[in-house]
Amino acid sequence: MYVKELFVDNFRNLQKQKIEFCEGINIFYGLNAQGKSNLLESIRLLSMGRSFRGSKTTELIKFGEDYFYVKAIICQENNDKKIEFGYKKNENKVIKVNGNKIKSTSELLGQLLTVIFSPEDLNIIKEGPSYRRKYLDSCISVVEKNYLYNLMQYNKILINRNKLLKTIKEGKNRSILEIFDDQLVEYGAKIIVVRQSYLKNVEINIKKFLLEISNETAEIVYLNSVGLKDASDEEIVKKRLKEKLLKNIDLDLKYLTTQVGPHREDFKIIINGYDSRVYSSQGQQRTVALCLKLSEFEILKKETGEKPILLLDDVMSELDENRKKYILERLQGFQTFITHTTKRDLKGDCYFKISNGVVIKE
Ligand code: ATP
Ligand code: MG
């Protein structure tokens, strides 16, 4: 698939305009703070339903205005698909695919496939478990149909279970805890099994990329909440999760939060035998992040049978010549959007200059 055209209105600093892209490599160049990342953000918004920079939807509205609207025409097997995203301050967002309003973000996922590479990817390696979980969940949500739904159900039950803990501590409702636990286990096990399988897939890919790029070995260790080396059997996972919940009830009651479950999980990336988060150099971590993203891209491609679109925000300036060459070779044949401060050093199929929110095709 590829994005044929984009229309933006009141999105961040971008001027109201329609932009036509080419099918191959699109280069956007311009000085700092002109709107390059904003442009990629608008495309990614139509893909994931939210900002890749973690901004709230309301922050995407141009300063001084009260709404924004973004529309893209996507070409897929010679058919055109239209995706629209509109948001007015203090109202609900409206997302439409081919003119039909969709009910939830999960229905949007999979419509426009993108993988974003940005300097913040380094945080997936460096930051704490919640950052990695968020990343993992967003990747899986696109390729596994019910994952987001199961995760949302799990989180709802978790909130209610934590509220229940408070009443149990006050001497009430102990008898209904098991009902909550059973529901938590039901959804929790589904999440764990899918995470295990996705991470296995990541491991296969990341091993290959890291070996090719820097001749290093990689291993992924899924730190699941059931303490199983292989958490691929849903029934076994369910049984173990239930046991863990029962075992931890005293701690749960002490802290009034649920101590075990998918909401506490993490994964480690082991490079040459050592945890990359703790022992790798900044450059090594950057390479690992790049390989992780390339793995995400490979899995997305394989699972959907589609050609995803690549969004490279400011990553070229951070890579050495070998890595730059490697990544550009891998991205041949896919629509790619690259932002950079200069036009030099990058070979593209079409070029756009961005200045003060105006995008001009050359
Ligand atoms: P760099 O090369 O530094 O990464 P960039 O071209 O990617 O720059 P953007 O991140 O796209 O820059 O931001 C461009 C400008 O948009 C910034 O000056 C920023 O302050 C401005 N901006 C951010 N949010 C809004 C908003 N809601 N309304 C108007 N302008 C905004
Ligand atoms: Mg930028």
Side-chain angles (χ1 to χ4, degrees):
M1 61 173 66
Y2 69 97
V3 185
K4 234 161 73 167
E5 85 185 38
L6 178 76
F7 174 77
V8 284
D9 182 15
N10 282 342
F11 188 86
R12 298 260 200 204
N13 81 325
L14 297 173
Q15 293 294 319
K16 182 172 175 172
Q17 61 201 307
K18 184 174 106 179
I19 312 152
E20 284 175 18
F21 305 116
C22 59
E23 222 181 309
I25 297 180
N26 295 263
I27 310 256
F28 300 88
Y29 71 96
L31 300 175
N32 293 135
Q34 299 304 308
K36 303 183 295 298
S37 299
N38 292 346
L39 187 83
L40 296 202
E41 190 179 32
S42 71
I43 297 171
R44 180 75 174 167
L45 177 77
L46 293 174
S47 164
M48 301 298 287
R50 58 189 162 89
S51 156
F52 78 87
R53 298 196 268 198
S55 304
K56 296 192 187 109
T57 310
T58 185
E59 291 162 6
L60 306 176
I61 300 174
K62 182 176 275 185
F63 299 148
E65 301 290 343
D66 69 349
Y67 78 93
F68 79 79
Y69 172 76
V70 184
K71 174 179 84 178
I73 306 290
I74 291 118
C75 189
Q76 189 177 10
E77 287 165 4
N78 293 324
N79 285 324
D80 281 354
K81 179 179 350 183
K82 181 168 75 174
I83 304 183
E84 299 164 273
F85 193 120
Y87 178 75
K88 195 168 186 323
K89 229 174 229 172
N90 305 321
E91 288 184 16
N92 286 334
K93 56 191 176 195
V94 176
I95 309 173
K96 288 183 185 172
V97 177
N98 287 334
N100 302 314
K101 206 163 147 181
I102 62 171
K103 286 189 251 28
S104 72
T105 310
S106 60
E107 285 178 49
L108 177 69
L109 301 179
Q111 297 286 350
L112 168 59
L113 302 174
T114 60
V115 176
I116 184 142
F117 294 71
S118 85
E120 279 80 50
D121 295 343
L122 194 57
N123 291 335
I124 306 169
I125 313 297
K126 292 177 85 146
E127 290 289 323
S130 69
Y131 210 94
R132 270 181 298 288
R133 269 197 312 270
K134 248 191 212 153
Y135 169 69
L136 185 64
D137 288 340
S138 83
C139 292
I140 301 177
S141 300
V142 184
V143 290
E144 281 289 332
K145 221 176 169 312
N146 292 322
Y147 187 78
L148 189 61
Y149 173 79
N150 289 338
L151 193 65
M152 278 162 31
Q153 293 300 313
Y154 177 87
N155 287 330
K156 254 192 238 166
I157 299 161
L158 183 68
I159 291 171
N160 288 329
R161 186 184 192 268
N162 289 342
K163 280 186 195 153
L164 185 72
L165 289 171
K166 203 166 165 245
T167 65
I168 293 176
K169 205 172 182 177
E170 289 159 358
K172 293 177 276 182
N173 296 331
R174 176 106 199 186
S175 59
I176 58 170
L177 179 68
E178 196 178 348
I179 301 170
F180 282 75
D181 283 4
D182 285 344
Q183 288 179 0
L184 205 64
V185 163
E186 191 69 34
Y187 288 105
K190 287 191 194 331
I191 294 164
I192 293 171
V193 168
V194 175
R195 282 183 180 169
Q196 164 83 71
S197 140
Y198 187 84
L199 286 171
K200 265 268 157 283
N201 232 334
V202 172
E203 186 178 54
I204 294 166
N205 284 286
I206 205 170
K207 260 188 203 302
K208 173 175 155 279
F209 291 128
L210 211 70
L211 200 65
E212 283 175 7
I213 293 184
S214 55
N215 200 22
E216 290 174 297
T217 64
E219 212 184 309
I220 302 256
V221 180
Y222 174 28
L223 303 169
N224 63 62
S225 48
V226 283
L228 286 171
K229 210 159 179 213
D230 179 12
S232 54
D233 185 317
E234 197 174 315
E235 286 311 310
I236 296 176
V237 172
K238 263 191 202 167
K239 195 167 159 275
R240 280 292 280 262
L241 190 55
K242 181 97 192 264
E243 283 166 11
K244 289 260 174 189
L245 283 169
L246 282 173
K247 208 170 143 207
N248 276 286
I249 187 64
D250 290 342
L251 277 179
D252 286 359
L253 286 170
K254 185 173 171 196
Y255 296 112
L256 298 179
T257 57
T258 305
Q259 302 294 309
V260 291
H263 61 290
R264 287 288 175 92
E265 294 185 338
D266 196 1
F267 66 92
K268 269 191 206 170
I269 306 176
I270 312 281
I271 305 301
N272 292 337
Y274 297 99
D275 184 353
S276 60
R277 186 182 174 206
V278 187
Y279 296 105
S280 294
S281 74
Q282 179 98 343
Q284 266 177 321
Q285 289 182 335
R286 202 160 265 147
T287 306
V288 175
L290 181 70
C291 292
L292 190 63
K293 285 295 170 132
L294 286 169
S295 306
E296 177 190 336
F297 170 63
E298 283 298 321
I299 296 169
L300 190 56
K301 195 171 68 172
K302 201 163 158 224
E303 296 290 318
T304 61
E306 284 285 343
K307 282 179 157 191
I309 295 154
L310 292 128
L311 309 170
L312 274 60
D313 191 23
D314 249 349
V315 284
M316 284 306 170
S317 51
E318 297 196 337
L319 300 176
D320 64 23
E321 284 310 314
N322 279 343
R323 284 164 174 72
K324 221 187 277 183
K325 202 165 151 256
Y326 183 86
I327 186 165
L328 286 176
E329 271 167 15
R330 291 221 66 87
L331 308 185
Q332 285 295 325
F334 299 90
Q335 189 184 33
T336 305
F337 294 81
I338 301 180
T339 69
H340 204 36
T341 42
T342 75
K343 196 179 165 183
R344 269 183 290 121
D345 327 323
L346 287 174
K347 216 178 124 2
D349 295 300
C350 49
Y351 294 86
F352 302 81
K353 185 174 165 54
I354 304 197
S355 122
N356 203 14
V358 181
V359 186
I360 296 166
K361 194 171 184 174
E362 294 189 339

